[in-house]
Amino acid sequence: MMLRNHKQALLTMLIATAVSGTVITDAAAQARSADRSDQRERRGSSKAAAAEVLYPNATRKEPGMKSSAKLGKQLQKLVDSYNEQKFPETLTEATSILGNSAANEYDKALAAQLASQAAYQQDDVAGAKRYLQQVLDANALDNNGHFQSMLMLAQLQLQDDDKAVQAQGLTLIDKYFAESGSKKAEELVSKGQALYQLERYQEAIPVLKEAIAASPEPKDQWNQLLMAAYAEAGQTGEAVAAAEAVAAKNPNDKKAQLNLANMYMQADQMDKAAGVMDKLRASGQLTDEREYKQLYSIYANTENKEKEVISVINEGLEKGILKPDHQVYLALAQSYYYSEPQQVDKAIEAWQKAAPLSPTGETYLNLARVLHSEGKIPQAKEAARQAKAKGGLKNAADADKIINLK
């Protein structure tokens, strides 16, 4: 789960406390609602529903601390600035509270919590991490606020580029699961992805499986991550089985079918991969160059499928989906040349189109060899000269032999 792309998923803090008789609603309520104006109306209500207990199975005993009366107005100002998305003001108010000798541990934890959200909203990830650690060190919030802060810090550490910091994130998220009792699918995926990124594929697999099983509608990328973990762990059979299950569940989902074809390719089951891709082709779902190249490459790596390679490439060129580049013409030339019956003239024509597009003279040299074998000596000599002129030959002597033919 890419945390940067899901900012709202991180803003799930539930701050529910009384300050001077007014309920302070926290960032979490906003995160769960797309309509901020509606949230403001609810914040203005004189009555507020009790905060949802997010961690009924937590082993941590809530400290039961409350804000100090002396800082009531300052805390309210802090919350109001955050709710109004005045993040620089939120940080200023939080800094003031954190440095106030009259503030108790709860005041400081609440200030650090909102400061972490404000910092994150301004793309200050380092600052967000620093404030979140202060929340945990204070250990003063209720379970909702404490564990959501722990989870956010763990997730930010897990997406860090430094593997040592990622390791800290893994330790912290394990602590989170152990103490909070949470088994939420999205949170388990965070851990599974981190393990995958750390190349601990065998450890990632059971975590990802648990996440998928825990969700009534697991996201496509979770299944893709599980497939990738199986593949990287060398469990090709399990990767294929997972891809087949997803594809069977989503027969009209192009992405699921393409993933299945990729898994078949990795398992060297080219016939099955081709079958999946051909169904997509027949239904007009192959629409970009990469997909056509994938299909003709599958056929090119399968015995006696030259006819199919030719058909796919020509169709792709006619539709304007395949670009007429060196790779395409080279595959076409080879398929014509090795097809049954052999189609030498068409192969030569394709090689003639491929050779000028090649970065080296190797394709010209191959063309010269074919022309020579067909007894077309003048054309073979010209192709060999073109090969030398283009350069980059592995064996220039072969070109010289053709050029010097009598």
Side-chain angles (χ1 to χ4, degrees), residues 15-25 42-48 67 72-73 75-76 79-80 83:
I15 309 165
T17 186
V19 176
S20 301
T22 304
V23 171
I24 298 179
T25 42
R42 280 185 281 175
R43 284 199 297 271
S45 174
S46 58
K47 295 182 181 181
S67 60
K73 289 183 179 180
L75 285 167
Q76 189 65 59
V79 173
D80 288 344
N83 286 338

Side-chain angles (χ1 to χ4, degrees), residues 12-120:
T12 51
M13 307 295 172
L14 285 175
I15 309 165
T17 186
V19 176
S20 301
T22 304
V23 171
I24 298 179
T25 42
D26 78 356
Q30 299 170 15
R32 286 192 299 271
S33 174
D35 189 342
R36 288 184 178 274
S37 63
D38 182 55
Q39 286 292 336
R40 292 191 185 98
E41 289 176 9
R42 280 185 281 175
R43 284 199 297 271
S45 174
S46 58
K47 295 182 181 181
E52 177 190 358
V53 177
L54 298 179
Y55 301 99
N57 301 316
T59 59
R60 174 182 180 257
K61 184 178 179 180
E62 293 191 337
M65 297 181 68
K66 295 183 180 296
S67 60
S68 59
K70 291 182 180 179
L71 272 73
K73 289 183 179 180
Q74 195 171 358
L75 285 167
Q76 189 65 59
K77 189 176 180 181
L78 167 73
V79 173
D80 288 344
S81 69
Y82 180 80
N83 286 338
E84 293 168 10
Q85 301 183 56
K86 298 177 180 178
F87 302 127
E89 290 182 25
T90 302
L91 291 168
T92 299
E93 292 298 330
T95 300
S96 176
I97 293 169
L98 289 167
N100 192 328
S101 60
N104 64 24
E105 288 302 296
Y106 185 89
D107 300 331
K108 292 178 181 178
L110 181 58
Q113 185 185 44
L114 283 182
S116 72
Q117 305 305 304
Y120 187 78

Side-chain angles (χ1 to χ4, degrees), residues 1 6 189 208 218-226 255:
M1 179 168 60
H6 299 280
V189 168
L208 293 169
K219 297 179 180 178
D220 288 342
Q221 56 264 40
W222 300 358
N223 286 302
Q224 291 168 19
L225 188 59
L226 176 59
K255 185 184 293 184

Side-chain angles (χ1 to χ4, degrees), residues 23 56 61 235 237 241 270 280 316 318-319 362 397:
V23 171
K61 184 178 179 180
Q235 297 178 230
M270 293 300 178
L280 292 173
E318 288 168 7
K319 289 183 175 181
E362 286 295 329

Side-chain angles (χ1 to χ4, degrees), residues 183-189 206-223 249:
K183 293 294 182 182
K184 293 179 180 176
E186 294 83 358
E187 297 165 4
L188 288 164
V189 168
V207 176
L208 293 169
K209 288 175 68 176
E210 184 180 1
I212 291 167
S215 174
E217 294 184 4
K219 297 179 180 178
D220 288 342
Q221 56 264 40
W222 300 358
N223 286 302
K249 187 178 178 181

Side-chain angles (χ1 to χ4, degrees), residues 195-207:
L195 288 165
Y196 180 87
Q197 291 171 339
L198 289 169
E199 300 180 2
R200 293 162 62 172
Y201 307 118
Q202 290 287 3
E203 295 174 63
I205 289 168
V207 176

